[in-house]
Amino acid sequence: MFSTRVFTAARPVITRTLSAQTKRLAHKTNVVQRELPRANTKSRIPYYIGGAVVGTLVWIGCLGTALNYQRLSSSVVTGTLFMVRYDPRVISLLGDKIDYADKWPWITGTVNHFKGKVCIAFDVAGANGERGRVRFSSIRRGQVWRTEEFVVIRESDGKEVDLGDDHELTETGAPAAAGL
């Protein structure tokens, strides 16, 4: 096909185009004939396992935060906090201006209107720095909600105020504010 004369004839043209500096450095280049080093072929499985663990922990954290936000936004938690804020016995126990103890409160328990069961607990604090734990529990029998437990417990000495007998419940299981 192609004759070698074409390639040999092109060689002097290529060598003539090299610069003078390239020619000076070319004779100093030493090529060492040796085997290349072996490539690092560590297993990537630990990285995959670590990524799966981190991903699972992030997913669990996000899911827990979303479910806590759902409980925090429910009418039961709002009504319970309202009753605690304005009850004179709780005000004398914890102080004025009662609100959640933390900036982002964690509501433990369940709010399940479908099954007719509400069982929540969260921390509150008054203006004088006293902290307390609110526990509220109610169940539905037929169409009527019944309070099982509604107490505020002061953390410093364990003194408790029972609010469960004084309040009626709404159709969602939240304390009714008609008494105040």
Side-chain angles (χ1 to χ4, degrees):
M1 288 217 223
F2 293 107
S3 70
T4 56
R5 283 179 55 199
V6 172
F7 293 116
T8 55
R11 184 177 299 244
V13 174
I14 293 172
T15 55
R16 271 186 253 139
T17 59
L18 294 175
S19 68
Q21 185 178 0
T22 307
K23 287 182 183 179
R24 276 185 299 205
L25 296 176
H27 72 279
K28 295 180 183 176
T29 305
N30 295 326
V31 178
V32 178
Q33 295 295 328
R34 61 182 173 90
E35 274 191 48
L36 293 174
R38 300 199 64 148
N40 189 1
T41 57
K42 288 194 315 188
S43 176
R44 292 187 179 192
I45 291 177
Y47 294 113
Y48 294 144
I49 291 172
V53 167
V54 168
T56 302
L57 290 176
V58 167
W59 182 77
I60 288 171
C62 290
L63 184 65
T65 303
L67 292 175
N68 184 57
Y69 182 74
Q70 183 181 16
R71 285 189 299 267
L72 184 63
S73 301
S74 75
S75 62
V76 175
V77 174
T78 306
T80 303
L81 183 62
F82 179 83
M83 298 309 291
V84 168
R85 277 183 181 158
Y86 297 106
D87 192 285
R89 295 172 294 175
V90 179
I91 292 172
S92 67
L93 184 71
L94 299 178
D96 229 5
K97 299 179 184 174
I98 297 171
D99 202 2
Y100 294 116
D102 302 315
K103 201 178 241 184
W104 181 261
W106 191 261
I107 312 297
T108 59
T110 60
V111 177
N112 193 335
H113 298 295
F114 185 68
K115 290 185 177 180
K117 183 176 181 180
V118 173
C119 183
I120 57 171
F122 55 92
D123 293 331
V124 292
N128 61 0
E130 286 287 340
R131 289 177 61 109
R133 182 98 173 144
V134 176
R135 290 194 324 227
F136 178 76
S137 173
S138 67
I139 58 171
R140 184 182 63 215
R141 299 284 182 222
Q143 296 295 325
V144 179
W145 284 88
R146 188 168 60 89
T147 302
E148 295 287 315
E149 178 185 37
F150 190 7
V151 296
V152 179
I153 303 168
R154 186 166 48 192
E155 287 183 2
S156 62
D157 60 357
K159 185 176 180 186
E160 99 177 27
V161 173
D162 188 7
L163 304 174
D165 299 331
D166 299 342
H167 307 292
E168 294 180 15
L169 301 177
T170 64
E171 59 276 350
T172 61
L180 293 178

